[in-house]
Amino acid sequence: MADKKRSVSLRKVINNDRSLIVFALVLAIIIWAITSLNIGTDETRTITVKAPITLSDRLSKQVGMNYYSLQDSVDISVTIVGAKYVIGQVDENDLNIKFDTSNVNRAGEQSIPILVTNKSKTKDFAITNTYPSTIDAYFDVDETKTFDVQLKYDDDVVADGYVFGTPLISEDKVVINGPSTFVDRIDSVGIHVDFGNNNNLTEPFNTECDIILEGSGIEQSYLKIYSKNDNETEIKTLAVTLPVLKETTLPVEVAFDNMPSGLKTGDYKVVYSPKTIAAGVLESADVKSAVVGRVDFREVNIGNNTFNFEVANTQGFTPLDESVSNVTVKVNIADTYEKKAIAINLDDIELTGGSADAAVKSMNKSTIIVIAPKDAKITASNLTIKCDISSENDDNEYPLDITVNNSNAWVFSDYYVSLY
């Protein structure tokens, strides 16, 4: 019986030992796995970081030059080595990236080393490789200049009987900023119109033109171009509109201001020299005459009056005859008219647009000249005189607005008053 009990106890011990052995093996495997992860051979990992390139402030203080690049940032592949559980936790915030400009001491293009270091205080890893290891940069003194835009295009793409009008460009001047070396080499700034397959044009042509910097040895990629009204937004192209005008011959005319409504054809005569002008007009505008300017009847005296107008300043048509630069307009008032000097009371001048306390102190002329038919009776009671005291001129005087209640008469010359 005792032997039997000892045999049962022995089997229990053996079974317990087997369980202990299995447990020990499992525990050993776990410990080996943990140890392998924590203490095993170092592993390698690559991290890609987008790093902004900011060197200008540092360089300005260092050597008085600015940095110019074709890019604002660079993608850097950083290879790190360390324990697996460590490098798996590393991100771009654990990396310190610097661009080493310590050797920059002259103007020109140079390669700047990229320095990457471990800035983490808790993660142990080493940096074994950086790609790229340098960036190309151009160093120079900063300069800004403004240039006129010169437009070039082929005149021969319009149809017969048509010509190009005055071109319209979205910017007539541009501002260029960048390295002084390249800015100083710019001779001119131009845009060239590419018509493609467009020929025999009869309608306005619209397009976008690349901005071309003309000169020797210019690296345009380092330069920035801005509108003269906006130095924040870079521009690469300019919009161009080329009006297409129909060739025609127009009778010359002037427009009259303050012309009496009752003036009859026999009371005045207008002579133009030349009488007609070769012009280009928009076909859709239905232009019937070449209005070369305006004549104010306050400047029209009795007898002959001569006015000259430059055709280059006209609107509504484009003069085509380069030999005609001026138009002479003669306005003749018949001798059935005469000047009438009208004395007025300064208190009769109506003041508008200002303080009620204002009063007229004096007038620049002693009488008001009215040109009217000889048989017309014109007195001060026929005049309406107003003064807008909000329209003071540079001589501290105020212009008078004078009308005559006679449809055949007009006020000659300009009149001003001074105020208390």
Side-chain angles (χ1 to χ4, degrees), residues 83-346:
K84 184 176 181 179
Y85 84 99
V86 174
I87 66 172
Q89 302 174 45
V90 176
D91 59 26
E92 61 184 41
N93 296 318
D94 299 310
L95 301 175
N96 185 40
I97 299 175
K98 291 184 178 181
F99 301 92
D100 183 10
T101 59
S102 59
N103 293 323
V104 176
N105 54 19
R106 59 178 175 79
E109 192 169 57
Q110 299 179 53
S111 291
I112 303 302
I114 301 173
L115 305 180
V116 184
T117 57
N118 178 359
K119 72 174 182 180
S120 173
K121 296 181 179 179
T122 59
K123 299 172 185 176
D124 184 19
F125 64 91
I127 296 166
T128 60
N129 187 55
T130 300
Y131 182 83
S133 59
T134 63
I135 57 171
D136 291 329
Y138 194 92
F139 301 92
D140 205 345
V141 176
D142 190 67
E143 186 170 358
T144 299
K145 281 187 179 181
T146 301
F147 294 85
D148 292 326
V149 176
Q150 300 179 9
L151 174 65
K152 297 180 181 180
Y153 58 93
D154 183 0
D155 285 320
D156 297 330
V157 297
V158 294
D160 290 341
Y162 291 83
V163 294
F164 281 121
T166 303
L168 301 175
I169 311 175
S170 57
E171 297 286 342
D172 60 351
K173 296 178 184 292
V174 293
V175 177
I176 300 179
N177 171 262
S180 175
T181 300
F182 296 141
V183 174
D184 287 341
R185 291 176 182 174
I186 300 173
D187 295 327
S188 61
V189 176
I191 52 176
H192 302 171
V193 177
D194 182 2
F195 291 99
N197 296 323
N198 293 285
N199 291 296
N200 298 316
L201 295 173
T202 60
E203 297 292 334
F205 184 79
N206 301 293
T207 188
E208 287 280 334
C209 298
D210 292 333
I211 300 173
I212 301 172
L213 307 184
E214 299 177 342
S216 177
I218 300 172
E219 180 54 68
Q220 187 165 341
S221 55
Y222 287 118
L223 299 172
K224 294 182 179 181
I225 305 173
Y226 302 97
S227 159
K228 63 181 179 181
N229 299 315
D230 180 3
N231 61 357
E232 297 293 334
T233 306
E234 285 189 65
I235 56 176
K236 301 292 186 183
T237 63
L238 295 177
V240 176
T241 297
L242 291 171
V244 177
L245 309 176
K246 185 174 179 59
E247 295 179 293
T248 187
T249 300
L250 298 174
V252 174
E253 287 187 4
V254 292
F256 289 102
D257 295 325
N258 299 308
M259 184 178 186
S261 60
L263 208 61
K264 298 181 179 61
T265 304
D267 296 333
Y268 72 103
K269 183 179 180 181
V270 182
V271 177
Y272 300 99
S273 179
K275 295 181 179 180
T276 61
I277 189 170
V281 298
L282 285 173
E283 205 164 14
S284 59
D286 194 30
V287 177
K288 300 297 185 184
S289 61
V291 179
V292 295
R294 307 189 73 85
V295 171
D296 191 333
F297 250 73
R298 289 177 298 183
E299 300 176 13
V300 176
N301 205 342
I302 298 170
N304 282 317
N305 303 266
T306 302
F307 303 90
N308 291 298
F309 299 94
E310 294 183 7
V311 296
N313 297 328
T314 56
Q315 296 182 344
F317 69 94
T318 298
L320 301 180
D321 188 347
E322 294 182 358
S323 65
V324 179
S325 59
N326 289 276
V327 171
T328 300
V329 180
K330 293 185 177 181
V331 181
N332 180 271
I333 302 300
D335 58 8
T336 56
Y337 277 73
E338 67 178 6
K339 291 181 180 179
K340 302 177 186 291
I342 312 297
I344 65 166
N345 188 333
L346 297 182

